[in-house]
């Protein structure tokens, strides 16, 4: 199953730059592993925002929930998920 997820990150103003940097390192490793495994097919940054769009290829809703809740920044994310289906006009 394919899903499109938009993730917006909002850190508390009280969070130090060092803690944010630590989250960013952990986040990069986690998302890199998902990409290497093929569960995250793609990731795109939203220009001018602390947000991204990612495409996930997973077995079901439960697997997606497990993946999303495993992100180190999950407590600071607002996530919107859209299930995707092949469009009948697609030539691929």
């Amino acid at each position: 199953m394919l899903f499109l997820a938009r993730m917006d990150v909002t850190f508390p103003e009280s969070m130090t730059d060092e803690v944010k940097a630590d989250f960013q390192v952990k986040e990069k490793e986690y998302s890199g592993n998902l990409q290497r495994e093929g569960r995250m097919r793609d990731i795109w940054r939203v220009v001018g925002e602390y947000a991204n769009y990612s495409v996930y290829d997973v077995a079901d809703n439960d697997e997606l929930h497990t993946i999303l809740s495993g992100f180190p920044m999950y407590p600071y994310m607002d996530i919107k998920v859209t299930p995707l289906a092949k469009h009948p006009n697609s030539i691929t």
Side-chain angles (χ1 to χ4, degrees), residues 13-55:
E13 290 186 26
S14 60
M15 186 178 286
T16 66
D17 290 340
E18 292 79 17
V19 172
K20 288 178 193 174
D22 186 51
F23 272 114
Q24 291 165 336
V25 167
K26 291 175 182 173
E27 196 82 5
K28 184 174 183 175
E29 180 181 355
Y30 185 77
S31 67
N33 288 336
L34 291 172
Q35 291 172 69
R36 283 185 284 280
E37 295 167 357
R39 296 192 292 165
M40 180 190 284
R41 279 197 179 181
D42 216 344
I43 183 169
W44 294 89
R45 179 173 42 185
V46 179
V47 175
E49 299 179 38
Y50 201 148
N52 74 73
Y53 282 99
S54 304
V55 177

Side-chain angles (χ1 to χ4, degrees), residues 55-69:
V55 177
Y56 295 89
D57 188 354
V58 294
D60 54 31
N61 295 338
D62 290 330
E63 182 181 0
L64 180 63
H65 180 78
T66 298
I67 288 169
L68 296 178
S69 62

Side-chain angles (χ1 to χ4, degrees), residues 79-91:
I79 303 172
K80 304 288 188 245
V81 175
T82 304
L84 300 174
K86 187 80 163 181
H87 195 284
N89 293 348
S90 175
I91 62 170

